[in-house]
Amino acid sequence: RQAEQDAEKARQRAAADRVLLDTFSSTEDMVLARDGKIGGIESQIKLTENQIEQLEANLQAIVAAAAEQEKQGRTPGEKVEQDIANVRQQIERKQAFIAGKRAEQDEVRAQFDADISRFEELKNAQAESAARRATQN
């Protein structure tokens, strides 16, 4: 059973190696792909940060309006309190989204670092094999 599991892992590794070698021609290509993926995620983060800024401005306006009502001796209604709570929840969700995207960027970096390392191993092994064949002929 262990031999079967080892053989399956070896098949999966060989398939992953073929994908790496078929997908990329150089480590520079891999770096470009990594940077493109990270850049796409960064764009999502920037967009969400802009949305948070708008929500924070909206929150300040709602809070200021509620404070003005209190100055005038009126109690802000339940809707105002609900609006404040809703905007705060939206901000929290968007901040959590950004944290998730930052973690995703870290995962992309780690995966590409591992893939680049493996790609270099495979290319070096290919070069050594070709050099051995050349010296045998």
Side-chain angles (χ1 to χ4, degrees), residues 15-127:
D17 289 348
R18 277 192 305 278
V19 168
L20 269 180
L21 292 170
D22 290 346
T23 303
F24 300 104
S25 61
S26 68
T27 56
E28 290 81 14
D29 289 347
M30 297 179 83
V31 168
L32 287 172
R34 179 200 63 202
D35 291 350
K37 203 166 200 176
I38 289 172
I41 297 168
E42 189 64 32
S43 294
Q44 292 175 325
I45 290 169
K46 293 295 182 199
L47 177 65
T48 305
E49 287 173 340
N50 289 338
Q51 292 170 343
I52 288 172
E53 287 178 17
Q54 292 170 352
L55 286 168
E56 287 174 340
N58 187 20
L59 179 60
Q60 288 176 354
I62 295 169
V63 168
E68 186 60 35
Q69 286 179 350
E70 287 178 349
K71 280 183 188 177
Q72 296 173 358
R74 297 182 308 195
T75 303
E78 187 177 311
K79 173 147 177 26
V80 172
E81 292 174 16
Q82 191 176 34
D83 288 347
I84 290 170
N86 287 338
V87 172
R88 285 183 176 150
Q89 286 175 348
Q90 288 177 40
I91 290 169
E92 287 174 11
R93 281 195 304 271
K94 291 190 181 296
Q95 288 170 335
F97 175 83
I98 288 172
K101 289 298 177 182
R102 293 278 182 221
E104 186 179 339
Q105 285 179 320
D106 291 342
E107 291 170 13
V108 167
R109 283 184 190 95
Q111 183 61 54
F112 269 93
D113 286 349
D115 287 348
I116 288 169
S117 178
R118 182 63 181 160
F119 182 83
E120 288 172 343
E121 287 175 24
L122 294 169
K123 284 297 193 178
N124 288 337
Q126 284 179 339

